Amino acid sequence: MLESVCSIVRCVSFMRRNFSSAIAALAAGACLRFFFVLKYPAGSGDSVLYEQIATNWLKYHVYAMNVGGAITPVDIRVPGYPAFLALIYWLSGKSGPDARLWVMSAQVVVDLLTCVVTGCLAATLSALAIGKVHRWRVFLVTLWLTALCPFTANYVAVPLTEAVATFFTTLTMLFLCLLLPGRRGSIFGVQDNSFKLHSKEEWFASFAGISSGFGTLFRPETPLLLMTGCVVLAWYFLRGSLWPGQWRQIIRIIAFMAVGCLLPLTPWALRNAITLHEAQLLAPKNSNLPGELVPFGFMAWEKTWLFRVRDVYLVAWKLNDQPISLDDVPARAFDTPEEKERVAALLEPYNEEVTLTAEEDAGFAQLARERTARHPLRTYLWLPGTRAFMLWFSPRIELLPLSGQVFPLADAWENDPVDQVVTAGFEFLIALYVLFGAWGAVLLWQHSAARVAVAIIVGYIVVRTVFMATLETPEPRYMLVCFPSLLAIAAQVFAGKAAEKEDFSATNEPALHGAG
């Protein structure tokens, strides 16, 4: 019995050493990511677009696409990811699809750095709440959670902006939280509702702005985070009594954020002004080429019924590229049989030319107006709410060879049990992330010093979700940038449990040694 107890103690000690190692967590995360890279590499239409721009940029020194057989300067995408690809092409000596393994390997490194930054964010949240106690434990728990997250790991296996955009979003969130007051002194010292500003806040404000600016070069909606942070900070300070000198300091902090954000964007804006003769700071809202018809009517019609990513593949992304079958349009897109006939009449000439004309687009616009007039709440409330739900709780298997079929249970199990189990497991895992994230937010909210950080993180998640739910093409990947911040909050729950277990083990350790 004594040998058995000693063996158990050695096993527990071995496991504790493994799970207490940041290197072990990063190694596990690297293995998971390279599994996706080697087993399930993927591509998309955007991947080809980014690769073409990067190749032309590196080869011809022009930020351009091949339009009608000619190298044509464009602003259809912000330049961050093409610059990232061009750097990998230059280092590897390869380009396009031949360089994808190198690109994905670089994204593995970036995503592992995101895991480290997320651990620092979680440790900062813990320090804001309870001081310096258990910060390393919180860091480790978060590192393991993010390293083993299959959703962010999966997206390193496709040449898209998500991995790098998630890194800059998380880094910006960390700098914003470093501005906040803690129990052991901080950038903003808070005592008895009086505010005392220190000099270091200018550095963190600048870093937050610069990080957000670089993130904007990858995903143009990244400034939503900086805007949310400024609103929350302004609300936070408006609750106190500030004298004029402090007002000037707070305005200066927001100015440092704005200037920092504009610095990385300025060369891009100047290039657009000189080359394309337009004041374009980001990218065209509808990603259209100059002179290209923007199908506003078709998109407005989609907004009256589309909420599933499956329908995006079958209808939205086929526009001006492939014929659209009426059978692929779901029944909820038609309120009456007469309406279905009108859609069929519009699709028939489109399918002959596979090009939407202005007249056909006007017909879809008329349908959209009629459907919205009949059911305004459906268009402006129920469907955006459903899109928001799908953005979060989709199983995110679009890069995997899975159908995503879970129901009906018996049929799905009979057709492909592995497909059903993996899909349901991913949905359950997302629900757990959200549940523990909400639990961690409640725990942090109990500490007044951490409430502003929670408000920034939760506020950004809500703002981004609402913004993305207004789009007619609800891709679940749009929410990946929120996952590290969500896991940083969720880790507060697990870190507390780990602390209780460690305290219990420390209490009983002498008894075990004594028994030995």
Side-chain angles (χ1 to χ4, degrees):
M1 177 176 285
L2 182 59
E3 291 179 358
S4 298
V5 171
C6 292
S7 176
I8 293 172
V9 171
R10 284 196 298 270
C11 180
V12 171
S13 177
F14 175 76
M15 294 298 294
R16 181 178 298 174
R17 283 198 303 270
N18 280 330
F19 285 102
S20 297
S21 170
I23 301 299
L26 293 175
C31 290
L32 176 63
R33 283 153 181 78
F34 276 112
F35 168 77
F36 285 119
V37 167
L38 299 176
K39 184 70 174 177
Y40 301 111
S44 72
D46 280 352
S47 299
V48 176
L49 175 61
Y50 285 124
E51 289 170 344
Q52 185 180 119
I53 294 174
T55 301
N56 289 334
W57 201 359
L58 186 63
K59 186 175 181 179
Y60 302 108
H61 309 291
V62 179
Y63 191 85
M65 287 178 56
N66 302 327
V67 180
I71 303 297
T72 305
V74 295
D75 62 354
I76 194 171
R77 292 290 189 277
V78 282
Y81 196 66
F84 176 78
L85 293 180
L87 176 62
I88 302 301
Y89 295 171
W90 178 71
L91 292 173
S92 65
K94 299 181 179 181
S95 63
D98 294 336
R100 285 189 178 182
L101 180 59
W102 292 91
V103 171
M104 295 174 187
S105 299
Q107 291 182 167
V108 169
V109 175
V110 172
D111 205 47
L112 292 177
L113 287 175
T114 302
C115 296
V116 174
V117 174
T118 307
C120 295
L121 174 61
T124 301
L125 293 174
S126 180
L128 290 173
I130 59 176
K132 298 181 179 180
V133 181
H134 304 316
R135 285 194 299 184
W136 176 247
R137 183 182 299 108
V138 174
F139 174 85
L140 281 176
V141 170
T142 309
L143 192 62
W144 278 102
L145 283 176
T146 51
L148 299 179
C149 175
F151 308 114
T152 53
N154 190 12
Y155 263 86
V156 304
V158 57
L160 287 174
T161 61
E162 269 58 43
V164 189
T166 301
F167 168 76
F168 281 113
T169 299
T170 310
L171 187 63
T172 303
M173 189 72 77
L174 173 61
F175 286 134
L176 287 174
C177 289
L178 287 173
L179 284 165
L180 303 177
R183 294 168 63 92
R184 302 292 183 266
S186 62
I187 305 306
F188 290 107
V190 181
Q191 295 179 350
D192 301 328
N193 293 326
S194 63
F195 297 83
K196 182 181 180 181
L197 304 181
H198 303 279
S199 59
K200 292 182 180 179
E201 86 279 354
E202 296 176 358
W203 287 99
F204 287 116
S206 299
F207 292 153
I210 292 171
S211 176
S212 176
F214 278 110
T216 305
L217 291 176
F218 290 84
R219 293 292 308 181
E221 71 278 357
T222 304
L224 288 174
L225 171 55
L226 212 60
M227 294 167 59
T228 303
C230 289
V231 170
V232 172
L233 288 173
W235 166 80
Y236 175 58
F237 288 111
L238 284 173
R239 294 173 64 242
S241 300
L242 301 180
W243 44 278
Q246 290 176 313
W247 272 111
R248 288 193 295 269
Q249 287 178 301
I250 293 170
I251 293 174
R252 189 174 68 249
I253 291 167
I254 296 177
F256 268 90
M257 289 185 188
V259 171
C261 184
L262 289 174
L263 282 177
L265 298 175
T266 300
W268 171 244
L270 291 175
R271 176 266 180 188
N272 290 333
I274 295 172
T275 304
L276 303 178
H277 309 291
E278 61 180 16
Q280 181 61 260
L281 189 63
L282 300 175
K285 178 180 181 296
N286 298 293
S287 301
N288 58 293
L289 293 170
E292 186 178 24
L293 173 68
V294 180
F296 290 113
F298 188 85
M299 293 189 295
W301 174 66
E302 288 178 320
K303 285 185 178 181
T304 65
W305 59 268
L306 195 152
F307 64 84
R308 295 188 308 178
V309 70
R310 175 179 179 272
D311 298 324
V312 175
Y313 284 94
L314 294 176
V315 179
W317 286 348
K318 286 186 176 181
L319 186 66
N320 292 331
D321 187 48
Q322 301 176 45
I324 299 174
S325 172
L326 186 67
D327 294 335
D328 289 336
V329 182
R332 63 179 178 277
F334 317 113
D335 288 340
T336 63
E338 183 268 338
E339 187 176 318
K340 186 174 183 179
E341 292 176 2
R342 290 170 61 187
V343 172
L346 291 170
L347 289 179
E348 183 177 357
Y350 161 80
N351 287 332
E352 292 178 359
E353 302 292 335
V354 195
T355 301
L356 189 73
T357 65
E359 292 75 14
E360 293 160 2
D361 189 58
F364 282 110
Q366 180 62 30
L367 283 170
R369 286 191 291 269
E370 293 173 5
R371 288 173 59 83
T372 299
R374 283 195 298 269
H375 303 286
L377 289 179
R378 176 180 62 187
T379 300
Y380 297 120
L381 183 60
W382 307 129
L383 280 171
T386 307
R387 288 191 206 108
F389 180 86
M390 297 301 293
L391 283 169
W392 274 103
F393 295 100
S394 293
R396 289 173 170 79
I397 45 84
E398 55 269 14
L399 299 183
L400 300 175
L402 301 172
S403 68
Q405 183 181 1
V406 177
F407 301 99
L409 294 175
D411 292 342
W413 179 263
E414 182 178 355
N415 292 335
D416 193 335
V418 174
D419 188 317
Q420 184 189 41
V421 169
V422 173
T423 301
F426 277 7
E427 290 182 338
F428 180 69
L429 183 59
I430 293 171
L432 284 181
Y433 284 166
V434 174
L435 173 64
F436 282 107
W439 187 356
V442 171
L443 293 178
L444 287 173
W445 194 262
Q446 296 174 5
H447 305 277
S448 59
R451 289 178 182 174
V452 183
V454 175
I456 291 176
I457 294 175
V458 175
Y460 173 64
I461 290 175
V462 171
V463 168
R464 185 178 181 86
T465 302
V466 171
F467 176 77
M468 291 301 177
T470 62
L471 303 180
E472 70 280 358
T473 53
E475 293 186 66
R477 68 186 177 99
Y478 291 154
M479 304 313 301
L480 285 177
V481 298
C482 297
F483 271 59
S485 298
L486 178 68
L487 293 177
I489 295 181
Q492 310 301 319
V493 177
F494 296 99
K497 297 296 183 182
E500 293 175 6
K501 290 182 179 180
E502 182 170 301
D503 293 341
F504 176 79
S505 298
T507 302
N508 290 274
E509 190 173 357
L512 289 174
H513 284 296

